[in-house]
Amino acid sequence: MRLPLFLVLPLVCSAASSSAQVNHALNDVNPFIGTGGHGHTFPGACVPNGLVQLSPDTRPDGYMDWDGCGGYHYSDSVIHGFSHTHLSGTGVADLCDVLLMPMDHNPGPKEFENDRDPWLSAYSHTNEHANAGYYSVYLDGPAVDVELTATRRVGVHRYRWPKDKDQVLVLDLKHRDKLLGGSILQVSDNEIVGERRSDSWAKDQRLYFCIRVNKPMFPSVTPLPGDPPPSRTPGQKTTQIFQLGKSDGSPVIVKVGISAVSVEGARKNLEAEVPADDFDAVRQQAESDWNAKLSKIDVAGGTREQQRIFYTALYHCYVAPYIFNDVDGSYRGMDGKVHHADHNVYTVFSLWDTFRALHPLMTILEPEMTSDFIKTFLLHYQQGGKLPVWELWGNETNCMIGYHSVSVIADAYMKGIRGFDAKSAMAAMIASADRDEPGLNAYRKNGFISGEDESDDVSKTLEYAYDDACIAAMANDMGDSTLTSIVERFERRARAHQHLYDPSTGFFRARRNGGFAPNFDPFEVNFHYTEANAWQYSLFPPQPYMSEYVTESDRSRLRTHLDKLFAAETSTSGREQADITGLIGQYAHGNEPSHHMAYLYQYAGEPHRTRELVKRIMDEFYHDDPDGLIGNEDCGQMSAWYVMSALGLYQIAPGVDQRYELGYPLFPKATIAMPSGSTWTIEVDTTATSYPSRSSAYSGPYYRHPAQVLHSALLRGGGLTFNAQREPFAKGGGPSVLDGAYIKEHLPNDCTRPGAPIIEAASVVFTDSLRVNIIGKGACVIHENGTKRSCGSCVPFYLHSTADVEVAWSEDFAPVIAHFTKIEGGRSLKLESIYANQYAAGGDNALIDGIRGGIDFRTGEWQGFRENDVLATVDLGTVQKLMRAGLSVLQDENAWIWYPASLTIAWSTNGRMWSSAEVTNSVDRHAAGGQKQELWSEVIGKKARYVKVIAKNAGPCPEWHKGKGGATWVFADEILIEAE
């Protein structure tokens, strides 16, 4: 007999009345959370999902400064001005458009002689304040009080100068990213219009503005650095100083409407949203808009800090995406053209981050807005040929990996959100998954991405598999018989993670040359994984772990892995990755791949561990201070995790499964106002030890283990009761041993492992013979010396000459092929320099293995040497007459890899007496992008048995480089020797 796990009460009523009495926007939101540390948020004024985010900029160049991505950092002491667009918690900089700054004098030429803007001003945090929809600061330099508020498309400034002080206003379009074009045109005494077109993360960002001031303005005639010559059209200036006369003590109101469409669009936005010069009315409306969103969830009890963390997190969940269309429905599409929509169009989709928790939260709170998100996705597909990956201001940045818009679409559809064309969405999902791109091409052909195919190969394979599971789930849910083949095809693709699973280590590993890449270290951060290591991708994709019924041995394996992960050393090896923060063992809460892991203890038979860890993460990694986020906010994902977890709910696999895991409800009581008018209440009864029978009024399904609730139950309304230990089920109600299947790739049976077989060998090169073993099922053939012979699985065999080993294993995917090279003539290599493990290429013999690399250093053919020279000696086995010798090298200044400053080629017949020749690199260090060359030295007729190469490191990053003074790399793939 099934026992009830929790009490469900039907509660169909309006939102809790207590929240209507509370001004959360004014009292419970701290916009400074995340502005310190690595949170990358901004403290300025905006309204929910508004295009305008009017905020101070303390960092003039975000590209050169990672922690300046949001334009502001709490550690700074000067403000450069107030710009109208910002990114909330991203890891790449952009926006910060149309900067305004008040001054008390007209700057002269001498003030431009230093590197800093002459209009920057010191300020103190004691004179700075912010709440939802409002920001204020006192500028020490010009002695001006500044207040900011906003509507969706308009920023409103209020400045107060001391009486009789000069009132000067600077408008700067050159601020921050590269300006492609701009104009400033004064069309009346109190109106300025113009355009800013820029290149940064968004390669072609177009913004138009209309500025109105409540006092007459007079442009300064003082020439500014970078101004166009006097003969140019007057409107083409990109910086302008305006004089407003002496202050009479009354405030100056500046209204700035923006648009991605046109100046006229910006003007219409301004006139529609802020027709009067009433700053306080706009501020009050902004607070009202925020309270309408924040009151959707009413939490009671907890500490004052917990309340402020919660409501600030909910606030951050409504900062992005931004509305992108003008008030008349016009918007700029992915094709650069102006279009019209009959729904709201949005921008800034950080989908690799937000599909995990932000978008599931929005399906609960904002189903109509979720529908508009998806309609926007479909516009992107129609105009740009694919669903968005990381869209910014009508530009596809192609940042991060996967096609996670399909998760958002599938999750919405299967939760009953139907405000979009499902058939069109399915067609777009399939087309995005089948598009012609290198990594996807390899993924479809082989069933997985190998290290030779593309960087981030493990992460891409795992995340593509997850997205494919979403496509299959939605296609199946649509109940259309014409989609049967789609369901089958994408279910096969969704099992791609099997091909990378190594049962001997328990990790998903990079594939290379038919087998696994050598020198595996699960702690190593390298370019096989996206901003992570093997530990942090070891439990993704999540859906295979979520079987309702698992055996005790299966649960034990998952439990053991989770225990090891959370207890592991917190250090990582390999390349530096600033995103890996908030470590509990190798769980990294500061970056998204880890976010579901604590909840998997539900499926390991230890839900109490989920509760313990979720509570610890909330307590340790979220605080009510500027350094209150452990990692980048990432457009709401970091905060959405907190909101969902504090409510005791978390969805592990959006788009695949509509269940919310029950975790650790933080507050004694929390009430969610559902869009339907019903409510869902989570309560903690500190006196309860067990629960009565399930309410007969509740007809929905529930689960014995783990404890879960369906999205459909939330929609109907009701609630959950937890005891003091946050247990949502009766004592003794857990399962013992249940029947069913766990994912089979976790069974360490090498010969029957599912998926693509592993071609295992000690090296890709050999001198005498090489032992090879095939792990898994398939028909094995050896191509050797122009002949073919068969080979078996799990029965080792030997190669004695250069050969290809091919294993056909599936009708759906290409055979697995490995190439092994015999080094003839006894040639060997002595390497005296230490290469980095993450750039090991083929290991100790990589420089003589004949495997050449492309211009992407991350695909694994290149061997990397950091901060030292490359010194290696090749023994040819016998004395030979040389023709020439050299080294194949790579340069990518963006990755701090430079060609060697010089190359010395030395040769000897006995290894004691040497002759040498020098080769000097002539390529400038400024040369951008990935490139490669072969550095040769002519040594015609020289006899040698030994050839030595010495490649001199180019030295630290130069002054002009973003990594100024940092250690640099030499990358090589082959020592080149031509002999008669």
Side-chain angles (χ1 to χ4, degrees):
M1 181 180 80
R2 289 193 172 190
L3 298 176
L5 303 189
F6 45 75
L7 178 64
V8 183
L9 301 174
L11 296 172
V12 181
C13 57
S14 61
S17 59
S18 61
S19 61
Q21 312 299 320
V22 178
N23 190 336
H24 293 304
L26 183 63
N27 301 317
D28 300 324
V29 172
N30 178 7
F32 291 105
I33 291 177
T35 60
H38 302 312
H40 298 184
T41 62
F42 61 87
C46 62
V47 295
N49 304 102
L51 183 65
V52 165
Q53 311 88 29
L54 179 51
S55 189
D57 287 347
T58 63
R59 298 278 169 109
D61 191 341
Y63 175 74
M64 301 288 281
D65 182 359
W66 187 61
D67 279 331
C69 287
Y72 176 101
H73 200 270
Y74 198 80
S75 64
D76 297 333
S77 59
V78 296
I79 289 175
H80 292 256
F82 306 94
S83 63
H84 291 76
T85 61
H86 290 83
L87 288 168
S88 181
T90 59
V92 182
D94 205 335
L95 303 188
C96 297
D97 300 295
V98 188
L99 181 129
L100 289 173
M101 184 65 169
M103 297 185 70
D104 59 5
H105 68 285
N106 194 31
K110 286 198 172 185
E111 293 182 73
F112 288 95
E113 290 178 358
N114 59 38
D115 292 334
R116 311 181 86 186
D117 297 331
W119 41 81
L120 61 78
S121 172
Y123 76 107
S124 168
H125 292 306
T126 59
N127 296 320
E128 187 182 33
H129 173 77
N131 57 260
Y134 175 79
Y135 172 88
S136 68
V137 69
Y138 176 77
L139 299 177
D140 295 337
V144 176
D145 279 310
V146 176
E147 295 176 281
L148 309 175
T149 191
T151 65
R152 279 187 157 190
R153 303 168 181 88
V154 182
V156 184
H157 310 233
R158 181 161 65 185
Y159 302 135
R160 284 188 174 91
W161 280 265
K163 195 170 183 180
D164 295 327
K165 277 285 189 179
D166 285 333
Q167 299 173 125
V168 177
L169 188 63
V170 178
L171 170 58
D172 183 10
L173 304 186
K174 296 195 299 292
H175 176 64
R176 295 276 286 196
D177 50 13
K178 180 182 178 183
L179 194 64
L180 299 176
S183 65
I184 298 172
L185 181 63
Q186 185 167 359
V187 296
S188 71
D189 285 349
N190 72 337
E191 182 174 301
I192 310 160
V193 298
E195 174 187 7
R196 185 175 195 271
R197 193 167 184 175
S198 59
D199 171 9
S200 185
W201 195 8
K203 293 304 180 186
D204 186 10
Q205 185 204 349
R206 300 182 69 173
L207 182 146
Y208 301 86
F209 59 88
C210 177
I211 302 174
R212 288 183 180 172
V213 185
N214 69 336
K215 291 187 177 181
M217 298 175 291
F218 304 95
S220 169
V221 296
T222 303
L224 299 176
D227 273 357
S231 60
R232 293 280 298 277
T233 305
Q236 298 306 305
K237 299 188 69 161
T238 54
T239 305
Q240 181 64 65
I241 297 173
F242 296 93
Q243 297 170 335
L244 284 68
K246 296 287 186 181
S247 171
D248 60 5
S250 62
V252 172
I253 305 296
V254 182
K255 302 182 296 184
V256 183
I258 67 171
S259 166
V261 173
S262 65
V263 165
E264 187 57 32
R267 183 181 284 119
K268 287 180 180 179
N269 291 341
L270 189 155
E271 292 173 344
E273 295 186 353
V274 191
D277 295 335
D278 191 339
F279 181 93
D280 291 325
V282 176
R283 176 185 176 182
Q284 289 168 9
Q285 184 60 53
E287 286 186 5
S288 177
D289 292 346
W290 275 113
N291 281 321
K293 299 298 186 184
L294 298 172
S295 63
K296 287 176 179 284
I297 304 177
D298 181 40
V299 297
T303 67
R304 178 65 179 143
E305 181 185 29
Q306 288 171 335
Q307 290 258 345
R308 282 171 62 82
I309 294 169
F310 179 86
Y311 281 108
T312 303
L314 186 56
Y315 162 85
H316 278 141
C317 291
Y318 278 103
V319 173
Y322 317 150
I323 197 165
F324 197 47
N325 56 284
D326 290 346
V327 291
D328 65 359
S330 300
Y331 70 98
R332 189 169 297 279
M334 297 295 287
D335 55 3
K337 299 176 182 178
V338 175
H339 302 267
H340 185 275
D342 58 3
H343 59 84
N344 283 329
V345 177
Y346 289 86
T347 187
V348 184
F349 288 103
S350 181
L351 291 163
W352 183 80
D353 309 287
T354 56
F355 86 89
R356 305 167 198 265
L358 177 71
H359 283 289
L361 176 63
M362 291 297 107
T363 65
I364 299 171
L365 302 180
E366 303 287 348
E368 289 187 12
M369 188 161 66
T370 295
S371 179
D372 283 346
F373 291 162
I374 296 170
K375 290 177 182 177
T376 301
F377 292 174
L378 298 182
L379 292 175
H380 292 172
Y381 170 68
Q382 293 165 17
Q383 298 156 8
K386 67 179 181 181
L387 292 169
V389 177
W390 211 123
E391 182 274 343
L392 171 59
W393 208 276
N395 289 249
E396 178 53 70
T397 69
N398 289 305
C399 188
M400 306 311 294
I401 62 173
Y403 29 93
H404 294 307
S405 49
V406 306
S407 171
V408 178
I409 297 170
D411 195 46
Y413 179 83
M414 289 190 289
K415 287 176 177 176
I417 296 174
R418 295 290 193 270
F420 58 93
D421 185 335
K423 288 187 176 180
S424 296
M426 177 55 62
M429 293 159 74
I430 295 169
S432 294
D434 285 344
R435 66 185 185 268
D436 183 14
E437 292 184 4
L440 273 171
N441 292 343
Y443 175 76
R444 287 192 299 271
K445 176 185 175 184
N446 302 319
F448 61 93
I449 303 173
S450 186
E452 300 98 330
D453 301 320
E454 198 165 82
S455 61
D456 296 319
D457 44 306
V458 176
S459 295
K460 286 178 179 176
T461 298
L462 300 180
E463 299 209 23
Y464 288 159
Y466 175 80
D467 291 331
D468 289 343
C470 294
I471 294 174
M474 178 172 162
N476 185 63
D477 203 60
M478 289 173 71
D480 186 338
S481 60
T482 64
L483 295 175
T484 301
S485 63
I486 295 298
V487 174
E488 294 172 351
R489 179 160 73 96
F490 280 92
E491 282 182 344
R492 285 195 298 272
R493 286 173 53 158
R495 294 191 287 271
H497 56 284
Q498 295 178 339
H499 312 319
L500 304 188
Y501 186 75
D502 176 12
S504 68
T505 63
F507 289 95
F508 298 114
R509 289 181 55 183
R511 297 288 298 262
R512 186 161 195 82
N513 198 47
F516 288 122
N519 305 315
F520 176 68
D521 173 8
F523 293 85
E524 182 179 88
V525 180
N526 56 45
F527 283 106
H528 295 301
Y529 305 90
T530 301
E531 297 182 359
N533 60 21
W535 273 114
Q536 289 141 21
Y537 264 97
S538 62
L539 295 169
F540 197 92
Q543 71 273 8
Y545 307 94
M546 297 175 61
S547 172
E548 291 177 28
Y549 301 103
V550 297
T551 67
E552 180 55 39
S553 60
D554 292 332
R555 284 205 303 271
S556 177
R557 279 191 291 274
L558 178 57
R559 183 165 57 245
T560 298
H561 184 86
L562 285 164
D563 288 345
K564 289 179 179 179
L565 183 147
F566 282 101
E569 292 291 330
T570 57
S571 60
T572 60
S573 60
R575 68 185 175 94
E576 296 178 6
Q577 183 67 51
D579 299 274
I580 299 177
T581 55
L583 287 160
I584 302 176
Q586 282 297 303
Y587 172 91
H589 192 71
N591 212 21
E592 280 67 24
S594 291
H595 275 192
H596 67 291
M597 287 178 168
Y599 287 93
L600 288 178
Y601 266 113
Q602 301 272 66
Y603 296 89
E606 294 191 350
H608 67 280
R609 285 289 287 145
T610 289
R611 296 192 292 275
E612 291 168 3
L613 286 163
V614 169
K615 182 180 187 300
R616 179 179 175 184
I617 294 164
M618 288 191 288
D619 289 347
E620 293 184 8
F621 297 152
Y622 293 84
H623 301 287
D624 182 19
D625 58 52
D627 199 8
L629 293 175
I630 202 65
N632 297 358
E633 166 62 15
D634 283 322
C635 294
Q637 171 58 27
M638 193 70 69
S639 290
W641 186 96
Y642 186 91
V643 170
M644 294 292 285
S645 294
L647 295 174
L649 305 170
Y650 196 81
Q651 189 176 3
I652 290 179
V656 177
D657 194 294
Q658 285 67 62
R659 293 172 290 181
Y660 298 95
E661 310 302 322
L662 302 185
Y664 185 93
L666 186 63
F667 298 97
K669 184 176 182 180
T671 304
I672 306 171
M674 305 302 293
S676 63
S678 64
T679 61
W680 183 269
T681 301
I682 301 101
E683 292 187 272
V684 177
D685 183 351
T686 58
T687 66
T689 56
S690 62
Y691 301 100
S693 298
R694 178 165 57 115
S695 168
S696 60
Y698 176 65
S699 59
Y702 68 96
Y703 298 89
R704 289 185 62 189
H705 177 76
Q708 302 160 325
V709 65
L710 286 173
H711 183 79
S712 56
L714 296 186
L715 294 180
R716 283 193 297 272
L720 297 173
T721 301
F722 295 73
N723 66 14
Q725 286 72 46
R726 270 58 176 184
E727 294 171 333
F729 47 85
K731 241 181 188 181
S736 52
V737 178
L738 302 174
D739 295 328
Y742 191 58
I743 53 171
K744 297 301 182 184
E745 65 267 29
H746 280 252
L747 299 175
N749 186 337
D750 290 350
C751 293
T752 59
R753 74 179 304 276
I758 306 298
I759 303 176
E760 183 182 64
S763 175
V764 297
V765 296
F766 60 99
T767 56
D768 182 24
S769 62
L770 181 68
R771 183 181 186 270
V772 181
N773 189 26
I774 309 300
I775 302 173
K777 295 180 179 179
C780 177
V781 175
I782 301 170
H783 300 267
E784 188 176 26
N785 297 324
T787 64
K788 291 197 304 184
R789 58 187 175 97
S790 61
C791 45
S793 298
C794 294
V795 179
F797 57 89
Y798 288 84
L799 299 177
H800 300 280
S801 59
T802 296
D804 288 336
V805 177
E806 177 181 308
V807 185
W809 61 281
S810 168
E811 294 181 356
D812 301 308
F813 302 110
V816 176
I817 299 175
H819 179 75
F820 300 102
T821 301
K822 182 176 183 180
I823 301 175
E824 302 293 346
R827 183 179 293 190
S828 62
L829 177 71
K830 179 183 180 182
L831 185 62
E832 298 179 54
S833 302
I834 299 174
Y835 54 83
N837 189 61
Q838 68 267 37
Y839 306 120
D844 291 345
N845 287 315
L847 297 182
I848 59 168
D849 63 8
I851 298 175
R852 307 301 298 276
I855 60 172
D856 185 350
F857 71 95
R858 298 168 296 183
T859 54
E861 297 86 3
W862 295 92
Q863 200 161 65
F865 302 82
R866 187 173 186 264
E867 208 172 5
N868 60 15
D869 304 333
V870 180
L871 176 59
T873 304
V874 179
D875 181 351
L876 300 177
T878 61
V879 175
Q880 300 179 26
K881 188 178 290 187
L882 303 178
M883 296 296 293
R884 58 177 186 162
L887 184 68
S888 176
V889 289
L890 176 80
Q891 178 161 303
D892 189 337
E893 62 85 17
N894 194 49
W896 302 6
I897 302 168
W898 273 280
Y899 289 141
S902 65
L903 174 68
T904 301
I905 303 294
W907 59 93
S908 172
T909 57
N910 55 21
R912 297 186 299 277
M913 299 179 62
W914 295 85
S915 301
S916 64
E918 300 290 328
V919 183
T920 302
N921 169 55
S922 60
V923 177
D924 194 296
R925 293 187 81 176
H926 285 82
Q931 54 187 294
K932 60 179 183 176
Q933 68 169 321
E934 295 178 351
L935 296 175
W936 288 95
S937 175
E938 299 294 333
V939 287
I940 298 174
K942 305 297 183 181
K943 291 184 178 181
R945 173 175 174 174
Y946 303 95
V947 176
K948 186 188 299 287
V949 297
I950 306 170
K952 300 290 290 184
N953 185 284
C957 293
E959 287 291 314
W960 53 265
H961 192 262
K962 63 181 178 181
K964 179 176 67 174
T968 63
W969 295 79
V970 176
F971 269 60
D973 68 344
E974 194 75 8
I975 296 174
L976 309 168
I977 299 173
E978 292 183 2
E980 290 184 1

